[in-house]
Amino acid sequence: MAQEDIFKKLVAHCKEYGFVFQSSEIYDGLGAVYDYGQNGVELKNNIKKYWWDSMVLLHENVVGIDSAIFMHPTIWKASGHVDAFNDPLIDNKDSKKRYRADVLIEEQLAKYEEKMNKEVEKARKRFGDAFDEAQFRATNQRVLANQEKWDQLHTRFSNALNDSNLDELKQIIIDEEIACPISGSRNWTDVRQFNLMFSTDMGSTADGAQKIYLRPETAQGIFVNYLNVQKTGRMKIPFGIAQIGKAFRNEIVARQFIFRMREFEQMELQFFVKPGTELDWFEKWKETRIKWHRALGFGDDNYRFHEHEKLAHYANAAVDVEFKFPFGFKEVEGIHSRTDFDLSQHQQYSGKKIQYYDPELGESYVPFVVETSIGVDRMFLQVISASYCEEEVGTASGEKDTRVVLKLPPVLAPVKMAVMPLVKKDGLPEKAREIIDELKFDFNCQYDEKDSIGKRYRRQDAIGTPFCVTVDHQSLEDQTVTIRYRDTMEQDRVPIADLKGIIGSQVSYKQLFAKLN
Ligand code: ATP
């Protein structure tokens, strides 16, 4: 199936099964804003818990906060967002569609990469076991020609971004003959900078009102609380502050479902270190974070690191963790060495001394910061895309059928166990309820008595429920039930008393945490 079709199916599935709805749908929606439904919110909360506990519970020197979305407007001046939180935009004059100039060029780079990979895959098939990929890449003429194009474009692009040279960005788009996907034309406007922050007014009187911003990242809430947390928590460097919260960006192009939203949620850690040690910590956090992703079991090959073409104004090292979405490798998380930029700026703009007295050195300094920043919604999309499967299965009457199943890691599944009475009489519903009442404090359970057992299994497969328990007449006699496993569809007869142990061990966060050491 084409990757585009898979993506469309994912979006439709998310809606049909109560994961993600378009915001304000009955009013025809609001661009790039989404709501999470009854299953979506559970999955999202589980992702957040996995992140939060892996940071705050597993690291003695990391604590959490929850800062306000509204902050003093000078914060955004100090952080550089008022002057520099821009994206370069370009319009196609025929389709009137707006694009990010940097994204158009990145897509062109990806096209060259794709061409090279296709050649490699063709050759791999031809040569079989004897295939030497490194040698092929170093000698094949078509691969080399595309590699040269990629290298040239990459250098030009990096230089243009680093020099904020908007004319050059436009020239690259023209030279590379990049066309608008809608109109097919190359009739482009000039490239302009566009600030991504939303603003609003705070205060009741028109002349007393103050222009404030909706935060475009949660990080600044951590920086301005650095002193509060360090002092009240008696924290010693190195230490970190974690936060999960909403962020807002007036994105120019927002066409990829929850990949790029105007209101989204971030999970950020700012880790404060001694100056000069930041690059070691940067490497450590890179390793820690990739392990966190890989522990979910979506396949190590589906992740890669991507070095930034242009370092942000505050960074001395930066890398993205990219995941292979149905529309290609894209960023899910950024890891940045932010130097002492933010704390120094706030020190300057607030006039308050923001420093750490290091008892070992016997001196004070402004700490350096390593940040890990991941979008909850992009992580959600990663989990859904990696888990969505269509499988051919046999039916009871011997025909072939397709089942849609979300092979979610059991820890993240919205519902852990569905309990189903075989029939709606003879005391079976009561027995099923009894089981739920016993286990509902341990994990999320759902009762389902409608339709045939087969249909009920499919409904649970579609939302990723790892265990279905069926109560039948035998259950009343010997206190056993059938447990059906989502991925293998195998069934076992087990004592009701064993359910807590069987399911509990599979849905515990310890399962994932054990892989993080
Ligand atoms: P991009 O290059 O895709 O715009 P970014 O580099 O600006 O992303 P950061 O500022 O590093 O992103 O933000 C950290 C994380 O926040 C990203 O890795 C992503 O997961 C998430 N994020 C950023 N912007 C959005 C958005 N508009 N919608 C959803 N998630 C977002």
Side-chain angles (χ1 to χ4, degrees):
M1 199 186 315
Q3 295 296 302
E4 245 171 53
D5 295 338
I6 292 181
F7 190 56
K8 274 193 198 143
K9 283 193 174 192
L10 282 181
V11 177
H13 190 85
C14 279
K15 180 173 175 195
E16 189 178 347
Y17 288 94
F19 283 93
V20 183
F21 307 124
Q22 197 180 13
S23 159
S24 324
E25 192 185 303
I26 59 169
Y27 289 94
D28 296 334
L30 186 65
V33 187
Y34 291 90
D35 298 336
Y36 286 84
Q38 67 279 15
N39 289 317
V41 69
E42 297 290 344
L43 173 55
K44 198 176 180 209
N45 283 342
N46 294 340
I47 291 172
K48 289 196 271 188
K49 184 168 168 55
Y50 175 39
W51 184 88
W52 185 268
D53 286 358
S54 76
M55 287 295 180
V56 177
L57 221 62
L58 300 194
H59 293 98
E60 226 173 82
N61 57 354
V62 174
V63 292
I65 62 162
D66 182 17
S67 69
I69 289 172
F70 290 153
M71 293 196 274
H72 196 286
T74 310
I75 288 173
W76 302 111
K77 191 80 192 145
S79 68
H81 283 82
V82 172
D83 297 320
F85 194 55
N86 301 320
D87 275 342
L89 69 84
I90 189 164
D91 295 282
N92 183 268
K93 290 183 193 163
D94 299 318
S95 66
K96 308 271 184 269
K97 284 278 173 201
R98 181 160 285 181
Y99 298 89
R100 263 173 65 173
D102 56 333
V103 171
L104 285 179
I105 299 171
E106 274 167 10
E107 284 169 358
Q108 182 74 357
L109 281 166
K111 272 188 195 155
Y112 291 133
E113 252 175 71
E114 218 173 278
K115 280 186 188 162
M116 289 186 268
N117 291 341
K118 267 196 188 144
E119 292 294 338
V120 170
E121 288 319 309
K122 259 198 311 196
R124 193 191 306 284
K125 275 195 196 130
R126 209 172 340 122
F127 293 113
D129 288 345
F131 183 59
D132 180 340
E133 181 176 335
Q135 195 196 356
F136 181 79
R137 282 186 184 270
T139 51
N140 179 274
Q141 287 311 312
R142 277 193 290 269
V143 172
L144 289 175
N146 278 306
Q147 184 65 48
E148 197 184 337
K149 284 185 192 161
W150 189 94
D151 289 341
Q152 279 175 1
L153 176 56
H154 187 255
T155 310
R156 233 182 127 185
F157 178 43
S158 302
N159 290 342
L161 284 181
N162 282 315
D163 300 342
S164 297
N165 188 341
L166 302 183
D167 293 341
E168 172 69 352
L169 284 179
K170 179 175 180 184
Q171 199 53 50
I172 293 176
I173 289 172
I174 290 168
D175 293 348
E176 289 287 326
E177 301 185 342
I178 297 173
C180 165
I182 310 281
S183 67
S185 88
R186 300 187 200 125
N187 195 6
W188 297 108
T189 61
D190 286 343
V191 177
R192 282 162 294 147
Q193 292 287 26
F194 177 78
N195 193 287
L196 300 181
M197 280 201 294
F198 285 102
S199 64
T200 186
D201 297 319
M202 183 181 264
S204 50
T205 58
D207 46 353
Q210 196 176 22
K211 181 178 177 181
I212 56 166
Y213 298 97
L214 298 190
R215 65 181 179 198
E217 61 175 27
T218 59
Q220 297 305 324
I222 295 180
F223 294 130
V224 297
N225 275 298
Y226 163 80
L227 280 181
N228 285 336
V229 175
Q230 193 270 319
K231 293 229 161 85
T232 59
R234 289 176 296 122
M235 307 301 292
K236 289 201 172 57
I237 273 182
F239 77 92
I241 305 179
Q243 165 154 244
I244 299 179
K246 288 273 175 134
F248 305 83
R249 295 184 189 177
N250 196 2
E251 295 283 359
I252 300 169
V253 189
R255 294 193 196 112
Q256 273 160 333
F257 191 41
I258 55 171
F259 182 82
R260 193 173 296 287
M261 301 153 88
R262 296 202 166 100
E263 174 180 338
F264 58 101
E265 212 165 350
Q266 288 186 313
M267 307 189 278
E268 296 200 299
L269 169 78
Q270 308 298 325
F271 196 74
F272 301 94
V273 304
K274 194 163 95 181
T277 64
E278 72 276 11
L279 294 179
D280 288 340
W281 282 107
F282 176 74
E283 289 304 322
K284 280 205 181 99
W285 278 109
K286 254 175 85 173
E287 207 181 297
T288 306
R289 293 305 303 146
I290 197 76
K291 262 194 200 166
W292 183 89
H293 285 278
R294 288 183 174 152
L296 290 169
F298 297 147
D300 290 1
D301 291 348
N302 288 325
Y303 298 93
R304 69 181 190 193
F305 285 119
H306 175 252
E307 306 284 336
H308 280 208
E309 265 74 40
K310 177 193 178 185
L311 288 178
H313 56 279
Y314 49 73
N316 69 356
V319 74
D320 293 336
V321 177
E322 293 189 339
F323 178 74
K324 196 170 177 195
F325 286 98
F327 41 86
F329 273 102
K330 295 277 177 205
E331 170 181 347
V332 276
E333 171 158 7
I335 301 163
H336 311 121
S337 172
R338 289 181 85 127
T339 68
D340 60 352
F341 175 81
D342 301 270
L343 290 184
S344 296
Q345 288 290 104
H346 290 308
Q347 183 168 256
Q348 189 191 331
Y349 277 72
S350 67
K352 309 277 182 332
K353 192 167 155 195
I354 307 182
Q355 296 196 353
Y356 176 76
Y357 176 74
D358 192 325
E360 277 167 29
L361 290 180
E363 61 183 58
S364 296
Y365 53 76
V366 178
F368 272 44
V369 173
V370 174
E371 157 186 89
T372 73
S373 173
I374 172 168
V376 180
D377 314 271
R378 273 192 205 177
M379 189 59 206
F380 186 107
L381 189 58
Q382 169 184 324
V383 171
I384 289 273
S385 350
S387 305
Y388 182 90
C389 290
E390 290 180 9
E391 282 180 355
E392 221 168 68
V393 289
T395 61
S397 54
E399 287 152 30
K400 286 236 165 357
D401 193 11
T402 309
R403 76 160 181 158
V404 174
V405 51
L406 282 188
K407 294 193 171 172
L408 296 170
V411 186
L412 300 185
V415 177
K416 310 299 190 203
M417 173 182 77
V419 184
M420 310 167 171
L422 190 62
V423 289
K424 272 191 266 180
K425 54 183 185 181
D426 304 338
L428 300 189
E430 289 75 11
K431 188 75 195 164
R433 294 265 182 217
E434 214 178 90
I435 295 173
I436 290 187
D437 283 343
E438 179 84 21
L439 295 176
K440 69 184 176 195
F441 301 109
D442 295 295
F443 34 78
N444 200 349
C445 307
Q446 199 169 78
Y447 176 80
D448 193 359
E449 62 172 24
K450 203 170 172 296
D451 301 321
S452 70
I453 280 287
K455 274 194 185 157
R456 283 183 258 173
Y457 282 157
R458 289 294 157 75
R459 263 202 302 270
Q460 295 299 332
D461 286 345
I463 63 168
T465 307
F467 304 99
C468 288
V469 165
T470 306
V471 175
D472 55 18
H473 292 91
Q474 191 185 331
S475 309
L476 302 180
E477 285 160 24
D478 66 3
Q479 305 299 317
T480 63
V481 285
T482 308
I483 183 166
R484 182 242 193 203
Y485 304 98
R486 178 195 67 197
D487 297 349
T488 59
M489 296 193 288
E490 276 168 14
Q491 302 187 10
D492 282 335
R493 188 101 207 161
V494 299
I496 293 171
D498 289 356
L499 286 176
K500 184 172 168 178
I502 297 171
I503 299 174
S505 65
Q506 295 296 311
V507 305
S508 159
Y509 283 86
K510 281 189 196 159
Q511 283 275 340
L512 293 177
F513 295 152
K515 298 182 194 165
L516 300 183
N517 290 322

